[in-house]
Amino acid sequence: MGTIDQTTYTLTCPQCLQTEKKKVLDKGSNYGGSHWQEGVDFSEFDVAWAGGGTSEPVITTAVCKKCNVPPSIVSSYS
Ligand SMILES: [Zn+2]
């Protein structure tokens, strides 16, 4: 224990193939429990988040700003 969690989200547009990777951090502590960020902004994708705080945020909708198509979303704990 004592490790702050983080999740890496990788979004890839199937049309223009641009990819962007962002980390979402749990800034909580052993004493206070989890305190997740409420999501992060992507520069190439419009992304809406749900959750944050005590629960890990998840992407609800995402779309490539250039192509207006949803990207593939890969999340990994790293
Ligand atoms: Zn695109």
Side-chain angles (χ1 to χ4, degrees):
M1 300 302 284
T3 325
I4 301 300
D5 289 330
Q6 63 181 35
T7 307
T8 302
Y9 284 90
T10 306
L11 274 59
T12 305
C13 175
Q15 197 157 312
C16 65
L17 299 180
Q18 72 178 337
T19 181
E20 192 174 2
K21 188 184 288 189
K22 294 278 184 174
K23 285 179 182 174
V24 181
L25 302 178
D26 180 354
K27 295 176 175 175
S29 67
N30 282 343
Y31 307 104
S34 288
H35 187 84
W36 287 90
Q37 287 184 302
E38 292 182 1
V40 290
D41 287 329
F42 286 76
S43 55
E44 306 295 341
F45 299 91
D46 278 321
V47 178
W49 296 85
T54 53
S55 65
E56 185 182 346
V58 292
I59 293 175
T60 53
T61 58
V63 66
C64 176
K65 287 181 179 178
K66 197 158 54 176
C67 312
N68 209 35
V69 297
S72 68
I73 301 170
V74 177
S75 63
S76 63
Y77 295 95
S78 57

